[in-house]
Amino acid sequence: MSSVLKPHLLLIDALNLIRRIYAVDANQKHHSDEQILKASCSRVAHACSKLLSSTKATHAIAVFDGDKSWRYHFYKDYKHSRAPMPQILKDALVQFKAAIEETGIVVFEPINDEADDIIATLANKASHNNISSVIVSTDKGFLPFLNEHIAVYDYFKKHYLDQDSIKQRFGVEQKKLVEFWAFAGDKTNDIPGVKGIGTKSAQLLVNNYSSVEDALNDDALNASLRKKLTENMDMYVISKQLVSLRTDINLGFSLKQLRLN
């Protein structure tokens, strides 16, 4: 009787991988742009092949970002201070996509959605069906999804993220991350959080209270903290939406279509 391989899904945050590899290669000043792009392309393909073998994936997809996602419409300053992708890299993405496809990995570029929401939707769907997946990204937004079926792997540091490393880095439990970012904001994505509440106060709030209502109902809550929360509740709500990845994106394809040959 042949043993059927248990499905295992590899989810690659494509631009996260490409931009970081390109940034290293772009420092090779004595090379032409063409040489740099060629080198980056083959390094990305090599990374994908290594990931396929190290994760023993049976299914795989590399997801790119679509144009302006719902977050840009929902909050006009979203990612507004982020440096745009270098034009030369933008123009070469077609080559990178081809290089990834040659490894057998399906490439997906949504029209409007961000890769993060697509990947979160796929990982969540797979998890509900007891299928394990590995998300390859350095983006902290995936950390709230870690569970027995969903792993997050940092290709550049060569390690899987776990509950302990999250607690050390953010000072809060993994399940409280979304709440923590809703209070403290996220500078890398220009998500404001609650005005006047920094990392320390945000840690205090999520580590001591089960919800923002719970904090406001506590007579012992520091008066200035109470004032900040009360006056900026709208930004807390907006920030919480922005830092929460969606898991309900309509994908238009099934897991079967991601099977590796």
Side-chain angles (χ1 to χ4, degrees), residues 114-169:
E114 280 182 79
D116 298 12
D117 291 320
I118 300 278
I119 290 170
T121 297
L122 278 161
N124 198 51
K125 266 198 157 102
S127 177
H128 284 311
N129 291 303
N130 294 325
I131 293 170
S132 27
S133 53
V134 174
I135 297 170
V136 179
S137 182
T138 60
D139 192 326
K140 61 181 179 291
F142 293 116
L143 299 178
F145 289 91
L146 275 188
N147 66 23
E148 57 173 329
H149 296 301
I150 301 172
V152 177
Y153 183 69
D154 182 331
Y155 175 76
F156 301 95
K157 290 185 176 158
K158 301 279 181 268
H159 72 88
Y160 282 90
L161 292 139
D162 59 18
Q163 308 279 352
D164 291 344
S165 63
I166 290 171
K167 187 92 203 285
Q168 278 176 345
R169 183 174 164 193

Side-chain angles (χ1 to χ4, degrees), residues 44-46 48-49 52 98-106 260:
V44 167
H46 177 67
C48 289
S49 299
L52 284 173
I100 295 170
E101 281 173 335
E102 276 179 25
T103 67
I105 296 173
V106 171
L260 293 155

Side-chain angles (χ1 to χ4, degrees), residues 87-243:
Q87 192 59 43
I88 178 165
L89 179 58
K90 209 174 177 176
D91 295 339
L93 286 180
V94 158
Q95 292 161 244
F96 282 93
K97 286 171 190 163
I100 295 170
E101 281 173 335
E102 276 179 25
T103 67
I105 296 173
V106 171
V107 164
F108 182 62
E109 188 172 16
I111 299 170
N112 293 322
D113 294 302
E114 280 182 79
D116 298 12
D117 291 320
I118 300 278
I119 290 170
T121 297
L122 278 161
N124 198 51
K125 266 198 157 102
S127 177
H128 284 311
N129 291 303
N130 294 325
I131 293 170
S132 27
S133 53
V134 174
I135 297 170
V136 179
S137 182
T138 60
D139 192 326
K140 61 181 179 291
F142 293 116
L143 299 178
F145 289 91
L146 275 188
N147 66 23
E148 57 173 329
H149 296 301
I150 301 172
V152 177
Y153 183 69
D154 182 331
Y155 175 76
F156 301 95
K157 290 185 176 158
K158 301 279 181 268
H159 72 88
Y160 282 90
L161 292 139
D162 59 18
Q163 308 279 352
D164 291 344
S165 63
I166 290 171
K167 187 92 203 285
Q168 278 176 345
R169 183 174 164 193
F170 299 102
V172 301
E173 299 282 328
Q174 179 235 356
K175 61 177 187 291
K176 297 283 191 85
L177 281 172
V178 168
E179 200 71 12
F180 171 67
W181 293 323
F183 287 128
D186 172 18
K187 282 191 177 62
T188 54
N189 293 315
D190 297 302
I191 294 168
V194 176
K195 197 175 180 197
I197 289 187
T199 305
K200 287 275 178 281
S201 301
Q203 285 166 341
L204 177 125
L205 286 165
V206 299
N207 289 331
N208 292 309
Y209 300 102
S210 60
S211 68
V212 68
E213 293 78 20
D214 193 23
L216 289 169
N217 287 334
D218 180 12
D219 295 337
L221 182 72
N222 171 304
S224 97
L225 207 48
R226 178 186 299 279
K227 187 170 188 281
K228 286 168 187 169
L229 284 177
T230 316
E231 289 176 358
N232 299 289
M233 201 40 111
D234 56 337
M235 283 329 283
Y236 161 80
V237 173
I238 287 173
S239 298
K240 191 166 181 176
Q241 295 249 164
L242 289 169
V243 298

